Amino acid sequence: MTTTPPDDATRLRATAAFVRDQDSTTLLRLLLPGIQGPELRALVDHCRFAHAALLVFPADQAALWAELAACGLAVDAPPTPSVVVRERLALRHGRDTAELDVSILRPPVRGPDGERREVEVFALTVPPGSELAGIAAHERARQHEAHLAFEVERPDPLVLRGLCALLARHGAAADGGGYNPHEDGTVLYFTAPAASKCGYRRVELHMSGDHPDVLAAHLGEHLAHRPARTLLHLLTGAWTTQALAVCAQLGVPDALDTRAATGVEPLARQVGAHPESLATLLRYLAMLDVVAQDGDGFRLTGLGALLRAGSPGSLRPLALMYGGPFYRSFAGLGHTVRTGQAAFDHLFGENHFDHFARDPELAELFDRSMAASSRMFEPIPAHPVVAAAGAAAVPMTVVDIAGGNGELLGRVLGAHPSLRGVLLERPHAVEAARRLLDARGCGERCTYRAGDFADVPPGADVYLLSRVLHDWDDARCREILRHCARAMPAHADLLIVERVLPADGSASLATAWDLHMMCNTGGRERRADHYARLLGDAGLELLECSPLPLDATVLHARKVAVPRLASPSSPRQLPVAAGVRPARVDVIADVTGHRERGVPEPERFGNTPLPEGAGSAVCPGPPPG
């Protein structure tokens, strides 16, 4: 059985025909079965059917106008930016609102009595090859933003409250809303009653002007009826983690097509599963929008495609990690909260760096899961520090400290052909990085060092330290940063990639990863001012912070400038941080091939006791994500 979600033109034509044909009284009866008499008259007196809405996905604005014209829809006003739908899409798909270019157009049509109505068109621009294509496929199939709208003609507060109460009495449930300052209009969304026969699952009351009190009450009603359901959803989050992990383990995403549905029996044979049990799993995954059910079969959604092995941006390794070792360790979160000790160490008898290093398959999965969140690296090749190094008249060198499988360094070298790279990592990770960088054509410009934090190569121009510091407590972070500072020439820059806790306590992925790090490594996420103090203790200065995707941040630091002494003949005295040996005034070769005086001799971990519980990890990376 093959089914394809209707294309945008088909949906536009169907929506326009619906708007032309319906009258308010009949439509309200279909929407709210059982309403009649004075209640129906009250709704008809205060509301008129105004429009039906849909979300479309043009490649650009010209394509949108052409498609509207082909459907006989003429726009008589310029598009306006969307606020509410853009925020709903961002929340539903875990994207930044800035990534979503959503506009609103309202081509007019005439109703049965010649009255003006509209087709409300929300347009999310999805250029060819865009990573937003998965969102488009998902939304076309699910039709989350399709709704009916009634215009409230005299929107005073008493009337609005009465209309909301009347809709609620007949089974419509508050489902959010908002105020759009671009149009000076307020919308109140409702979920249609289960018995509704109008063909739409959502209803909107639209009114001109800003009505903050009514909107606040409506949103409060929306939240008030959801606590138990919300808590149940939260309590069953472990089920979701395991369902996604098992889906990935079985290879279900690779066995399903995004257009043609596959029956349960042949799918079970293909992935080696019990048919009835697989059907139960698939129904749950359909509720999560990972798959979609078409008759007796299932097809993959754009969201589910992110779990395919080897696909660009695949999150399959993360699903296997979060459903595997880190799933088990989170069962010991109570131990961590009571004792302050990492649950992973308590459960497995060693820290996760040593545990993974002894298991090559697990170590490889860990490195791939780290690379799965590499979307946060996309802006780094354009960072001013990297761009300036790439444009320099002489070749510059970039050192990636604990660089994992080379994903970040590969992006930097790939964007700037004049740069040379050095990757410092554990021996098994070095080989994985060599393979990746060779495959990307950067291998000839990169050298590899198997070592630990004490082996940071001196004399480079840019140093990268990505998702490392949050593995460790403050004392170990200072030690790592001092190794960096001793290796850095005065002109060098240090770029640190971490999730930074918001200073105002607002919601952020950093807050979730703070719990994750505490449970699995004994580390933590930090605020920017905390990082500034750690850098200062190592003789480094935090210059700026720039946002990255996935709630990450790149922190730019340099060595603290040392003022020249008044007498040039006086010996130069450099400040020495506590516990750091002064520089030897030997002449040593740096990684660029130049020779420089006064570069400190790197300190070996063998000469410095490791913090308790640190084990013998060599340049470990953090839990993925």
Side-chain angles (χ1 to χ4, degrees):
M1 172 181 177
T2 301
T3 59
T4 302
D7 60 26
D8 290 347
T10 301
R11 293 163 54 232
L12 278 167
R13 291 190 181 94
T15 304
F18 183 93
V19 174
R20 290 188 186 101
D21 295 344
Q22 298 298 324
D23 69 85
S24 296
T25 302
T26 302
L27 192 53
L28 284 167
R29 286 196 181 106
L30 293 171
L31 175 66
L32 304 172
I35 193 168
Q36 55 187 344
E39 290 184 329
L40 177 60
R41 285 196 299 275
L43 282 177
V44 173
D45 287 346
H46 290 94
C47 302
R48 64 174 181 84
F49 176 45
H51 69 254
L54 74 165
L55 175 61
V56 298
F57 308 92
D60 52 37
Q61 192 173 70
L64 173 61
W65 290 90
E67 196 159 62
L68 291 172
C71 295
L73 297 172
V75 180
D76 57 6
T80 57
S82 165
V83 174
V84 177
V85 169
R86 185 176 69 163
E87 290 177 350
R88 286 168 60 90
L89 283 170
L91 180 63
R92 196 151 57 236
H93 296 281
R95 307 301 289 255
D96 297 331
T97 55
E99 300 176 79
L100 305 175
D101 177 18
V102 185
S103 58
I104 310 172
L105 299 97
R106 294 191 175 89
V109 297
R110 294 294 172 182
D113 298 324
E115 72 275 22
R116 178 187 169 101
R117 292 177 178 175
E118 295 169 335
V119 176
E120 185 173 60
V121 181
F122 297 101
L124 170 63
T125 303
V126 182
S130 167
E131 62 179 13
L132 299 179
I135 293 178
H138 169 87
E139 293 292 329
R140 282 194 183 102
R142 304 296 292 185
Q143 296 289 308
H144 289 296
E145 297 306 327
H147 66 263
L148 301 176
F150 292 83
E151 185 75 25
V152 181
E153 298 185 314
R154 296 178 294 279
D156 67 72
L158 286 177
V159 168
L160 294 175
R161 292 179 188 277
L163 292 175
C164 290
L166 188 56
L167 288 170
R169 192 153 54 245
H170 285 272
D175 188 29
Y179 170 69
N180 188 336
H182 303 290
E183 300 179 322
D184 189 29
T186 300
V187 293
L188 308 179
Y189 287 117
F190 297 84
T191 302
S196 175
K197 300 176 182 177
C198 67
Y200 283 80
R201 293 176 296 177
R202 297 179 66 240
V203 184
E204 171 194 313
L205 290 184
H206 181 273
M207 59 227 65
S208 60
D210 188 7
H211 302 273
D213 293 340
V214 174
L215 177 61
H218 178 76
L219 296 177
E221 187 75 11
H222 171 56
L223 296 174
H225 286 82
R226 296 181 64 88
R229 183 184 181 89
T230 298
L231 187 57
L232 281 172
H233 177 74
L234 296 173
L235 289 170
T236 58
W239 304 353
T240 298
T241 302
Q242 281 300 308
L244 294 172
V246 171
C247 174
Q249 289 165 2
L250 291 174
V252 169
D254 298 281
L256 287 179
D257 190 75
T258 56
R259 292 182 176 272
T262 302
V264 173
E265 290 282 348
L267 180 62
R269 288 194 296 271
Q270 186 172 351
V271 301
H274 178 253
E276 186 175 347
S277 300
L278 179 61
T280 300
L281 173 64
L282 289 168
R283 286 193 296 271
Y284 184 83
L285 293 171
M287 189 173 69
L288 302 176
D289 294 330
V290 174
V291 301
Q293 185 168 10
D294 290 337
D296 295 330
F298 293 85
R299 59 180 175 80
L300 196 65
T301 66
L303 183 66
L306 290 172
L307 292 175
R308 280 179 165 168
S311 63
S314 173
L315 298 181
R316 183 177 185 272
L318 280 175
L320 299 178
M321 284 298 300
Y322 291 151
F326 290 142
Y327 186 85
R328 294 178 60 193
S329 62
F330 251 99
L333 179 61
H335 173 82
T336 297
V337 174
R338 285 190 296 270
T339 67
Q341 300 170 355
F344 193 102
D345 299 19
H346 176 68
L347 177 66
F348 293 100
E350 58 185 343
N351 67 65
H352 88 279
F353 306 125
D354 290 344
H355 186 72
F356 293 163
R358 291 192 302 100
D359 186 333
E361 289 186 7
L362 193 56
E364 182 185 6
L365 175 62
F366 174 78
D367 288 335
R368 286 191 288 115
S369 66
M370 288 288 291
S373 296
S374 62
R375 193 166 71 88
M376 70 172 62
F377 298 153
E378 289 175 1
I380 291 180
H383 188 281
V385 165
V386 179
V394 296
M396 297 286 182
T397 300
V398 178
V399 174
D400 194 356
I401 305 162
N405 73 343
E407 177 67 33
L408 174 56
L409 187 59
R411 287 174 180 257
V412 169
L413 297 182
H416 301 284
S418 68
L419 289 178
R420 297 178 297 185
V422 179
L423 186 133
L424 175 68
E425 248 297 359
R426 297 158 291 171
H428 79 273
V430 163
E431 292 309 310
R434 191 189 305 273
R435 291 192 296 270
L436 183 143
L437 291 168
D438 283 347
R440 294 191 180 180
C442 305
E444 291 185 357
R445 290 186 285 128
C446 190
T447 59
Y448 306 86
R449 293 198 177 187
D452 57 31
F453 294 120
D455 300 315
V456 177
D461 305 288
V462 179
Y463 290 81
L464 305 175
L465 191 65
S466 175
R467 297 182 293 177
V468 169
L469 296 179
H470 70 170
D471 286 330
W472 307 104
D473 60 22
D474 284 0
R476 190 68 182 280
C477 285
R478 291 188 190 95
E479 183 181 2
I480 294 169
L481 291 171
R482 285 168 182 156
H483 286 305
C484 295
R486 286 198 293 274
M488 292 169 62
H491 73 275
D493 296 278
L494 173 64
L495 297 182
I496 299 169
V497 177
E498 295 287 358
R499 285 193 170 98
V500 175
L501 291 170
D504 60 1
S506 57
S508 167
L509 288 175
T511 304
W513 261 259
D514 195 22
L515 185 71
H516 179 45
M517 304 312 296
M518 177 184 75
C519 185
N520 286 294
T521 72
R524 60 184 298 184
E525 307 293 355
R526 297 169 173 88
R527 299 194 330 183
D529 59 349
H530 194 155
Y531 279 116
R533 292 194 298 272
L534 294 176
L535 288 162
D537 290 344
L540 298 165
E541 180 182 9
L542 178 61
L543 301 180
E544 63 176 355
C545 300
S546 304
L548 297 174
L550 301 176
D551 285 358
T553 297
V554 57
L555 301 97
H556 175 202
R558 298 193 80 176
K559 276 189 164 182
V560 175
V562 179
R564 293 183 179 275
L565 299 179
S567 172
S569 60
S570 302
R572 188 180 180 198
Q573 298 296 322
L574 299 179
V576 179
V580 179
R581 292 180 301 190
R584 288 191 346 180
V585 190
D586 292 339
V587 178
I588 66 174
D590 65 20
V591 295
T592 67
H594 304 302
R595 296 169 71 82
E596 180 175 341
R597 286 192 176 272
V599 179
E601 179 182 351
E603 182 177 348
R604 301 283 175 178
F605 280 150
N607 299 331
T608 305
L610 288 172
E612 182 178 352
S616 58
V618 181
C619 279

